[in-house]
Amino acid sequence: MSFQQKNITVSLVSFILILGFYSLRVIQMIGNESFTSGNVFWLWGIIIGLAVVVTIIGTILTHIVSAVIEVVRTGKDDPKIEDIEDERDQLIDLKGTKVTYTVYSLGVFAAMLTFVFGLQPLVMFSLLILAGLVAQIIGDVFRLVLYRRGF
Amino acid sequence: MGKSNISNNIRKLRFLNGEMTQEQLAEKVGVTRQTIIAIESAKYSPSLELAFRIARVFGVPLEEVFSYEAEDKTS
């Protein structure tokens, strides 16, 4: 598994966990009847903060773990990690980004539809962040599929 | 998605060039070893520039490294 694949896998796991946390909190809020604008925007902040922090920490951890594995495998003190992004990585990233944006666009469209059905703006905002998380997960899965199956 | 119509002789050329490793070839052309593996197994068709760089490493013309087999659309 290349460094880029490890990085995508870490991102995928992180975003699945964040999606789980988000879904759980929204379900709890609806159950407690605390699904208010204040709580939803507070959750928005937490999710965006988590996504940024987890992505940074994930990349750093992937570097450290890759270096440790390389030291154990080769026995050399100065491990060489293939973290360069070549044309194949860039192409896969672009294709993944295209899928992410397509899914997110559909999510935004679905969120806008909630206005048509006369639902609260809170529902739209909740769907927007849900669409963002789901789009990121689907994009990462698509990238991993491209790495595995080729294109 | 999957195998492309472009086949290659990279494995053979590596062997003929003193059993050059995938890692050595990757270093010479400036890509990762994973990309060389993907090209060798026809899971990725390289850009024209990368194809020329690979051919130059082996000192052979491009058509000796890569060949294109068009899909038979009549069958």
Side-chain angles (χ1 to χ4, degrees):
Chain A
M1 193 186 265
S2 70
F3 176 78
Q4 305 298 340
Q5 278 174 279
K6 284 177 199 155
N7 223 354
I8 294 167
T9 308
V10 169
S11 161
L12 178 64
V13 172
S14 310
F15 277 95
I16 288 173
L17 290 175
I18 292 172
L19 177 65
F21 170 74
Y22 177 75
S23 308
L24 196 73
R25 284 294 299 135
V26 168
I27 290 167
Q28 277 177 348
M29 275 191 226
I30 294 169
N32 299 339
E33 293 184 359
S34 57
F35 191 61
T36 59
S37 58
N39 286 339
V40 168
F41 285 118
W42 176 79
L43 189 58
W44 254 68
I46 287 183
I47 294 299
I48 291 167
L50 263 180
V52 172
V53 170
V54 164
T55 305
I56 294 167
I57 291 175
T59 307
I60 294 168
L61 272 181
T62 312
H63 256 105
I64 293 169
V65 173
S66 297
V68 170
I69 291 171
E70 199 61 20
V71 166
V72 172
R73 196 173 66 87
T74 61
K76 290 177 187 168
D77 287 339
D78 186 22
K80 192 175 145 246
I81 305 167
E82 271 192 325
D83 59 351
I84 59 161
E85 203 181 40
D86 61 21
E87 58 172 48
R88 179 167 160 264
D89 297 316
Q90 286 167 357
L91 208 55
I92 288 174
D93 194 40
L94 279 175
K95 284 172 187 273
T97 305
K98 190 178 158 190
V99 169
T100 302
Y101 284 168
T102 306
V103 174
Y104 188 61
S105 302
L106 292 173
V108 170
F109 182 70
M112 295 299 170
L113 275 183
T114 57
F115 276 133
V116 177
F117 297 113
L119 295 168
Q120 293 177 59
L122 274 183
V123 178
M124 185 198 77
F125 284 110
S126 304
L127 279 179
L128 279 181
I129 203 137
L130 181 73
L133 292 171
V134 171
Q136 182 64 41
I137 289 168
I138 293 175
D140 283 346
V141 170
F142 187 72
R143 286 182 184 98
L144 287 177
V145 169
L146 287 182
Y147 270 112
R148 286 271 172 213
R149 289 181 55 184
F151 60 96
Chain B
M1 221 179 273
K3 296 246 174 185
S4 74
N5 293 336
I6 299 174
S7 56
N8 66 79
N9 296 317
I10 295 177
R11 175 71 195 95
K12 192 177 107 187
L13 288 164
R14 281 197 300 112
F15 176 76
L16 293 174
N17 278 267
E19 273 289 352
M20 185 190 287
T21 63
Q22 290 171 329
E23 202 164 351
Q24 286 167 335
L25 177 60
E27 233 169 70
K28 285 183 180 179
V29 296
V31 296
T32 60
R33 193 173 68 89
Q34 306 299 324
T35 297
I36 297 296
I37 293 168
I39 295 170
E40 267 192 28
S41 53
K43 282 184 175 178
Y44 171 64
S45 302
S47 67
L48 199 53
E49 191 188 339
L50 178 55
F52 273 112
R53 285 209 300 264
I54 293 171
R56 181 168 282 190
V57 167
F58 295 126
V60 293
L62 191 63
E63 55 269 31
E64 271 188 45
V65 186
F66 296 98
S67 52
Y68 178 72
E69 289 155 35
E71 273 178 60
D72 187 7
K73 289 186 177 174
T74 52
S75 60

